[in-house]
mmCIF file of all heavy atoms in Angstrom:
data_model
loop_
_atom_site.group_PDB
_atom_site.id
_atom_site.type_symbol
_atom_site.label_atom_id
_atom_site.label_comp_id
_atom_site.label_asym_id
_atom_site.label_seq_id
_atom_site.Cartn_x
_atom_site.Cartn_y
_atom_site.Cartn_z
ATOM 1 N N LYS Y 153 22.254 11.164 1.089
ATOM 2 C CA LYS Y 153 23.213 10.132 1.411
ATOM 3 C C LYS Y 153 23.597 10.098 2.875
ATOM 4 O O LYS Y 153 24.001 9.058 3.405
ATOM 5 C CB LYS Y 153 24.473 10.315 0.549
ATOM 6 C CG LYS Y 153 24.250 10.060 -0.940
ATOM 7 C CD LYS Y 153 25.568 10.150 -1.708
ATOM 8 C CE LYS Y 153 25.396 9.769 -3.147
ATOM 9 N NZ LYS Y 153 26.711 9.780 -3.885
ATOM 10 N N THR Y 154 23.525 11.229 3.550
ATOM 11 C CA THR Y 154 23.876 11.281 4.964
ATOM 12 C C THR Y 154 22.602 11.302 5.804
ATOM 13 O O THR Y 154 21.722 12.114 5.595
ATOM 14 C CB THR Y 154 24.741 12.497 5.294
ATOM 15 O OG1 THR Y 154 25.963 12.419 4.541
ATOM 16 C CG2 THR Y 154 25.060 12.575 6.771
ATOM 17 N N ALA Y 155 22.526 10.370 6.749
ATOM 18 C CA ALA Y 155 21.380 10.296 7.664
ATOM 19 C C ALA Y 155 21.912 10.171 9.080
ATOM 20 O O ALA Y 155 22.755 9.301 9.373
ATOM 21 C CB ALA Y 155 20.496 9.116 7.320
ATOM 22 N N VAL Y 156 21.452 11.063 9.953
ATOM 23 C CA VAL Y 156 21.860 11.046 11.357
ATOM 24 C C VAL Y 156 20.608 10.763 12.202
ATOM 25 O O VAL Y 156 19.676 11.562 12.218
ATOM 26 C CB VAL Y 156 22.490 12.383 11.768
ATOM 27 C CG1 VAL Y 156 22.892 12.343 13.254
ATOM 28 C CG2 VAL Y 156 23.712 12.683 10.905
ATOM 29 N N LEU Y 157 20.632 9.639 12.890
ATOM 30 C CA LEU Y 157 19.502 9.242 13.722
ATOM 31 C C LEU Y 157 19.783 9.595 15.172
ATOM 32 O O LEU Y 157 20.848 9.271 15.724
ATOM 33 C CB LEU Y 157 19.272 7.730 13.585
ATOM 34 C CG LEU Y 157 18.223 7.082 14.496
ATOM 35 C CD1 LEU Y 157 16.840 7.652 14.191
ATOM 36 C CD2 LEU Y 157 18.230 5.562 14.330
ATOM 37 N N LYS Y 158 18.827 10.290 15.798
ATOM 38 C CA LYS Y 158 18.963 10.672 17.204
ATOM 39 C C LYS Y 158 17.761 10.154 17.992
ATOM 40 O O LYS Y 158 16.638 10.099 17.481
ATOM 41 C CB LYS Y 158 19.047 12.206 17.336
ATOM 42 C CG LYS Y 158 20.284 12.803 16.668
ATOM 43 C CD LYS Y 158 20.323 14.311 16.859
ATOM 44 C CE LYS Y 158 21.563 14.917 16.197
ATOM 45 N NZ LYS Y 158 21.637 16.393 16.401
ATOM 46 N N ASN Y 159 18.012 9.794 19.245
ATOM 47 C CA ASN Y 159 16.922 9.336 20.082
ATOM 48 C C ASN Y 159 16.157 10.525 20.668
ATOM 49 O O ASN Y 159 16.440 11.681 20.357
ATOM 50 C CB ASN Y 159 17.452 8.410 21.199
ATOM 51 C CG ASN Y 159 18.461 9.117 22.119
ATOM 52 O OD1 ASN Y 159 18.518 10.344 22.179
ATOM 53 N ND2 ASN Y 159 19.248 8.317 22.821
ATOM 54 N N ALA Y 160 15.182 10.235 21.515
ATOM 55 C CA ALA Y 160 14.313 11.283 22.054
ATOM 56 C C ALA Y 160 15.095 12.294 22.901
ATOM 57 O O ALA Y 160 14.676 13.454 23.011
ATOM 58 C CB ALA Y 160 13.187 10.671 22.884
ATOM 59 N N ALA Y 161 16.220 11.876 23.453
ATOM 60 C CA ALA Y 161 17.043 12.778 24.254
ATOM 61 C C ALA Y 161 17.972 13.621 23.402
ATOM 62 O O ALA Y 161 18.727 14.438 23.934
ATOM 63 C CB ALA Y 161 17.841 11.974 25.272
ATOM 64 N N GLY Y 162 17.950 13.440 22.077
ATOM 65 C CA GLY Y 162 18.807 14.192 21.184
ATOM 66 C C GLY Y 162 20.184 13.613 21.018
ATOM 67 O O GLY Y 162 21.054 14.246 20.410
ATOM 68 N N GLU Y 163 20.396 12.379 21.503
ATOM 69 C CA GLU Y 163 21.699 11.735 21.400
ATOM 70 C C GLU Y 163 21.834 11.018 20.073
ATOM 71 O O GLU Y 163 20.912 10.305 19.652
ATOM 72 C CB GLU Y 163 21.878 10.732 22.545
ATOM 73 C CG GLU Y 163 21.776 11.358 23.913
ATOM 74 C CD GLU Y 163 21.595 10.329 25.024
ATOM 75 O OE1 GLU Y 163 21.052 9.234 24.737
ATOM 76 O OE2 GLU Y 163 22.006 10.625 26.154
#
Side-chain angles (χ1 to χ4, degrees):
K153 293 185 175 183
T154 298
V156 179
L157 174 63
K158 297 181 179 181
N159 60 20
E163 301 166 332

